[in-house]
Amino acid sequence: MAAPEDETRAIKQQVIDLYDRAAATYDHVGPRFFTHFGQRLVDLTHVSPGMDVLDVATGRGAILFAAAETIGSGTVTGFDLSRKMVKHTAVEIRDRGLQNAHIAQMDAERLGFPDASFDRVLVGSALFFFPNLHHTLSEFYRVLAPGGQFGATIWGRFDERWN
């Protein structure tokens, strides 16, 4: 069930405020476990050279940078709702000299991409942030190319069925 529009706006603003405050040091202080799980998701979804990958709720690029190292001539496009996360990640993309990685500020409920644009749509530990999850997942499916794959990490205990 979709959240009422005012409630949805308020939830999104809380997420923006939280991650704007955390952006400067997010996953760059202490253990880099997002980096580990980002690489693991790229591996488990068999991201390979030449693919076009969408990294949803990019944050500081744990999935984006892992995918960029793998795809070669492909592209990885990340987006985040937090303007400051996008700003810091854009600087890191530039500093690493990556030509195959891009980032934008965007809302997952209104993806600015044509249908069937990506071979992989990946989400790292962010599904619980989307107030209208059904609609958001529909957007992911819309931009996923035929034969493409959706992958997400979530918090929870280990389940042998997914190994």
Side-chain angles (χ1 to χ4, degrees):
M1 172 171 253
E5 192 173 324
D6 288 342
E7 182 181 340
T8 297
R9 226 181 344 267
I11 290 167
K12 289 178 183 181
Q13 191 58 53
Q14 288 175 339
V15 171
I16 291 168
D17 292 345
L18 171 67
Y19 284 94
D20 275 356
R21 285 191 307 272
T25 58
Y26 190 82
D27 201 31
H28 284 68
V29 173
R32 304 230 16 218
F33 61 87
F34 288 114
T35 301
H36 168 79
F37 290 116
Q39 182 65 59
R40 185 83 171 119
L41 184 58
V42 166
D43 294 343
L44 287 171
T45 56
H46 307 288
V47 170
S48 57
M51 285 187 169
D52 293 317
V53 177
L54 180 63
D55 178 14
V56 176
T58 300
R60 290 297 302 275
I63 293 170
L64 181 133
F65 293 117
E69 291 178 11
T70 304
I71 59 173
S73 64
T75 60
V76 59
T77 302
F79 73 88
D80 203 284
L81 202 52
S82 164
R83 181 184 57 79
K84 290 185 180 178
M85 285 288 195
V86 169
K87 179 183 132 193
H88 286 285
T89 304
V91 168
E92 193 167 348
I93 289 169
R94 184 198 68 218
D95 289 350
R96 290 184 184 203
L98 296 175
Q99 300 300 309
N100 63 351
H102 313 280
I103 188 162
Q105 185 178 13
M106 192 178 304
D107 186 332
E109 291 183 9
R110 292 175 195 83
L111 297 180
F113 307 107
D115 295 356
S117 297
F118 299 96
D119 301 299
R120 298 290 185 271
V121 174
L122 306 178
V123 183
S125 302
L127 288 176
F128 59 91
F129 282 120
F130 304 125
N132 297 311
L133 184 58
H134 185 269
H135 176 75
T136 303
L137 291 172
S138 294
E139 276 291 275
F140 299 165
Y141 180 75
R142 180 184 66 75
V143 301
L144 195 59
Q149 188 175 8
F150 169 76
T153 59
I154 59 170
W155 299 110
R157 62 182 169 83
F158 180 75
D159 186 328
E160 286 287 335
R161 294 174 297 179
W162 302 107
N163 193 14

